[in-house]
Amino acid sequence: MKILGVSGSPNKKGNNEKAIELALKVAQGEGAEIKKIFLSRVKVGPCLACPSCKREEKCLQEDDFNDLIPLITEADGLIISSPVYMGSVCGQLKCLLDRTVFLRRKDFHLRGKLGAAIAIGGSRNGGQEITIQAIHAWMHIHGMIVVGDDNHFGGIAQAPIGKDEEGRRTIEATARKLCQTLRRLTG
Ligand SMILES: Cc1cc2nc3c(=O)[nH]c(=O)nc-3n(C[C@H](O)[C@H](O)[C@H](O)COP(=O)(O)O)c2cc1C
């Protein structure tokens, strides 16, 4: 069981990276092999809507994106965390999500993988559910199977997450649900 955690935040050691570390710790406890992508450490620009990936099934832009593809395609489950920016996902994460479009064009490479989302806002009700919805939309468009936290939509927290005990609980529950569902599906 391979679980990939993705933090969309530009902040090194910020709340989203802490959330992914927490989720992956739970996944490891459930027996998963874990990997992570922190977008604060790599450069992934926006999709330029050029036709290259229609022909070649890869992106011809020269940034770090192509190095991340194996991590995404080899995972059985993805847990993706975004800070809430103006009521939705941050631009850094949206760039990564958009650039994966070619993975569905021919063979739907992410179809059947499991996905779960985390959103962290500065406010208690700052748009976390809408942010999670945007991540879920990406997952559905890839034909993935989406899970929540076994209660609501996923990990929902207010920064700083060190002070948000209930938020941390939803993050842990989301990671647990992802692993348990994966185990159920794969036997
Ligand atoms: C450009 C920008 C827009 C933001 N918009 C929102 C928002 O709409 N709602 C909210 O609750 N917090 C908002 N915030 C606060 C961040 O969501 C919050 O600080 C987040 O948890 C930071 O995560 P990080 O520590 O991983 O970077 C915004 C922050 C920035 C920089």
Side-chain angles (χ1 to χ4, degrees):
M1 174 163 74
K2 294 180 183 171
I3 302 291
L4 175 68
V6 180
S7 160
S9 174
N11 274 334
K12 287 194 176 117
K13 299 191 177 159
N15 293 281
N16 286 269
E17 293 187 3
K18 285 182 189 146
I20 288 298
E21 299 283 15
L22 180 61
L24 291 179
K25 196 171 146 201
V26 170
Q28 211 165 25
E30 293 283 330
E33 185 188 319
I34 55 165
K35 294 210 170 149
K36 62 193 173 195
I37 295 173
F38 284 174
L39 291 182
S40 64
R41 326 289 162 107
V42 290
K43 221 175 164 43
V44 178
C47 173
L48 300 176
C50 73
S52 63
C53 74
K54 283 187 188 156
R55 289 193 301 264
E56 307 216 11
E57 269 215 315
K58 67 173 190 176
C59 183
L60 294 186
Q61 285 192 60
E62 289 181 0
D63 58 13
D64 295 323
F65 172 68
N66 283 319
D67 296 338
L68 306 180
I69 291 300
L71 290 175
I72 296 171
T73 54
E74 284 163 18
D76 303 305
L78 275 73
I79 183 155
I80 299 183
S81 183
S82 179
V84 182
Y85 279 6
M86 304 308 287
S88 191
V89 290
C90 65
Q92 290 81 358
L93 180 63
K94 189 67 167 73
C95 286
L96 175 72
L97 301 183
D98 289 350
R99 294 276 291 282
T100 64
V101 65
F102 73 94
L103 289 174
R104 72 187 287 282
R105 284 220 175 96
K106 245 171 69 189
D107 295 322
F108 275 83
H109 294 284
L110 307 189
R111 182 175 277 154
K113 291 185 189 298
L114 258 75
I118 298 167
I120 304 171
S123 303
R124 166 54 60 202
N125 302 302
Q128 284 90 333
E129 292 187 0
I130 295 169
T131 302
I132 281 187
Q133 229 167 30
I135 299 170
H136 284 176
W138 175 83
M139 291 171 172
H140 283 302
I141 286 168
H142 276 294
M144 293 173 63
I145 300 161
V146 173
V147 301
D149 65 342
D150 216 20
N151 192 357
H152 290 104
F153 305 106
I156 291 189
Q158 180 179 18
I161 64 163
K163 286 191 172 171
D164 185 2
E165 194 183 335
E166 172 62 8
R168 291 198 310 278
R169 198 195 57 70
T170 64
I171 292 164
E172 288 169 345
T174 301
R176 207 169 297 116
K177 177 80 177 176
L178 185 75
C179 294
Q180 289 173 354
T181 310
L182 196 51
R183 220 179 290 122
R184 263 192 184 188
L185 290 174
T186 53

